[in-house]
Amino acid sequence: MAKLSTEELLDVFSEMTLLELSSFVKAFEDKFEVTAAAPVAVAAAGGAAPAEVAEEQDEFDVILEGAGDKKIQVIKVVREIVSGLGLKEAKDLVEGAPKPILEKVAKDAAEAAKAKLEEAGAKVSVK
């Protein structure tokens, strides 16, 4: 049998009725043990999954928006919250606001850090 080009195949398919195309697809699936519906089902399921993930967020970022009037107190709290941070690093972090203080932490930890920072006079957001 002579090989047909893509254009020739498309011409043949364009001349077929929907019933003929449907039977061709069924025969193709049987012969090659594949299914034409699988990619559509996977795409539909894949489209729904990110929306569910967004609703059930379990990792949060604590962002320092500003130090406020009590910068020294905020620096102390930042050192307390972020382990291994020296005085200079904490000061640079506070002065460079807006900056993330904690990234990808549990909601409890994010809320606790936010409360401590706000108590010290900082402006904080959790995303």
Side-chain angles (χ1 to χ4, degrees), residues 1 4 9 12 24 48 50 61 74 80 90-91 95 103 114:
M1 177 175 177
L4 298 175
L9 284 172
V12 170
F24 168 76
D61 296 340
V74 173
E80 178 184 326
K91 181 179 180 245
E95 289 176 347
E103 295 179 326
K114 180 180 177 184

Side-chain angles (χ1 to χ4, degrees), residues 75 78-79 84-96:
I75 292 170
V78 167
R79 286 191 65 206
L85 217 61
L87 183 59
K88 181 175 178 3
E89 291 87 4
K91 181 179 180 245
D92 291 344
L93 196 116
V94 169
E95 289 176 347

Side-chain angles (χ1 to χ4, degrees), residues 91-109:
K91 181 179 180 245
D92 291 344
L93 196 116
V94 169
E95 289 176 347
K99 291 244 179 172
I101 301 292
L102 296 173
E103 295 179 326
K104 299 185 180 187
V105 296
K107 186 174 184 175
D108 302 356

Side-chain angles (χ1 to χ4, degrees), residues 63-69 74 94 97-99 117 121-125:
I63 312 291
L64 177 68
E65 301 293 337
D69 295 335
V74 173
V94 169
K99 291 244 179 172
L117 286 164
K123 289 184 182 179
V124 182
S125 65

